Each structure stands twice: as C-alpha cells, then as structure tokens.
Amino acid sequence: MKTLFFTILLVVSTYASAQEINSDIKSVLETDNVTELKKQITSKNINSCFKLEESEYTLLTLSIKLNAKSCFAELIAQNASVEKTCNNKTPFMYAAKYNRLAMAKDLVKAGVQIRVRNSDKQSALDFAKKYESKEIIEYIKSFNQ
C-alpha cells in the first residue's frame, strides 16, 4: 500500500510541477519576438517546464519546436539549460525531432551532451531516425568518426 501511495504521489507531483504556459510567452515564441521575450524571461521561468497541448516544454525546447530562431539564440545567451528534460526529451532531442540543424549545432557549442539517453533509453539519434531528420542523423554520426 505504501508503494502505491508513493507512486501516485510521484505522478501527481510530476504533473503539478509543470505550469501552463501563459499566452504572452506563447505569442512571443510563435512570433519570434526577442524584444518581448527579454521582458518575459525570469530566473524562475527560464528553465521551467510549461504545459502546452498535452506535452511539456522549456522555453528553449518550445523555441526549437516553433523554429523561433531569434528567441532560441537569446535563450542560449541567457544561459537557459541545454540539458533540461521536459516530456522526457532534452533540447537536443527536440532539435533532432524537428530537424533543426543550426539549432543542434548551437546546442553542441553550448555544451550539450550529444549521447544522452532519456528514461526510455532513446537518444537524439533515435529521434532523428524516427522523424527522418537526415541532416541531423549525418551530423550526429559525424561525432562517432
């Protein structure tokens, strides 16, 4: 019974920890408005997980998903975590999933761990293969040589 209680508590606390993304931040990322993003970034939210459409994203991973290049660059400049996992994916895994080669390269420059695996034992290369992100596949493979 104790195990069941702690399992339920863990699941509830995981979902309770993510907050809904507010419409202002979402709009800023959708329009890639870096000036407004600077006004929205705080030390408390830069690495938080935000709920959006049944998934969770950091501001950095959401900028990758939405291809918000200027906001992505600003978040890197503001030292957003390149390793923070939300929804069981790192920013590099999102770059692989969405075939964002330039962003993947910037994440590597920022010190991302290329071969990290999530709790399902998936790597960025696995996501690149699943979503047929050919440029990312070649890029990741170039580190194995």
Side-chain angles (χ1 to χ4, degrees):
M1 186 68 171
K2 263 186 178 177
T3 304
L4 177 62
F5 174 74
F6 285 116
T7 302
I8 291 170
L9 185 61
L10 179 63
V11 169
V12 169
S13 67
T14 298
Y15 285 106
S17 65
Q19 55 187 311
E20 289 288 333
I21 192 162
N22 76 42
S23 59
D24 292 338
I25 293 176
K26 183 180 174 192
S27 176
V28 162
L29 293 169
E30 288 174 335
T31 59
D32 199 17
N33 186 335
V34 73
T35 303
E36 288 300 316
L37 177 70
K38 288 178 184 180
K39 296 175 186 176
Q40 297 286 332
I41 296 173
T42 67
S43 60
K44 291 183 180 182
N45 73 6
I46 194 165
N47 293 313
S48 295
C49 292
F50 293 96
K51 283 202 240 177
L52 177 68
E53 302 168 358
E54 306 298 321
S55 291
E56 295 178 9
Y57 305 91
T58 61
L59 297 176
L60 186 63
T61 56
L62 196 53
S63 72
I64 294 166
K65 175 184 170 78
L66 298 172
N67 203 23
K69 295 172 186 168
S70 297
C71 289
F72 172 84
E74 180 61 26
L75 289 162
I76 293 289
Q78 294 280 340
N79 295 317
S81 174
V82 296
E83 300 293 347
K84 174 74 176 182
T85 300
C86 292
N87 201 41
N88 207 22
K89 294 181 192 79
T90 65
F92 196 63
M93 291 172 184
Y94 276 102
K97 177 179 178 178
Y98 294 106
N99 199 29
R100 310 280 195 236
L101 183 60
M103 290 175 171
K105 288 180 177 181
D106 287 343
L107 289 167
V108 169
K109 287 178 192 170
V112 76
Q113 299 292 315
I114 296 168
R115 292 176 183 83
V116 167
R117 293 188 176 273
N118 64 16
S119 63
D120 295 328
K121 307 292 186 221
Q122 297 170 307
S123 67
L125 182 58
D126 294 322
F127 283 98
K129 288 177 180 176
K130 179 178 179 179
Y131 294 97
E132 299 178 7
S133 302
K134 293 178 173 86
E135 293 176 319
I136 301 288
I137 292 168
E138 294 305 314
Y139 180 64
I140 294 171
K141 284 183 175 180
S142 73
F143 289 93
N144 295 334
Q145 298 172 357

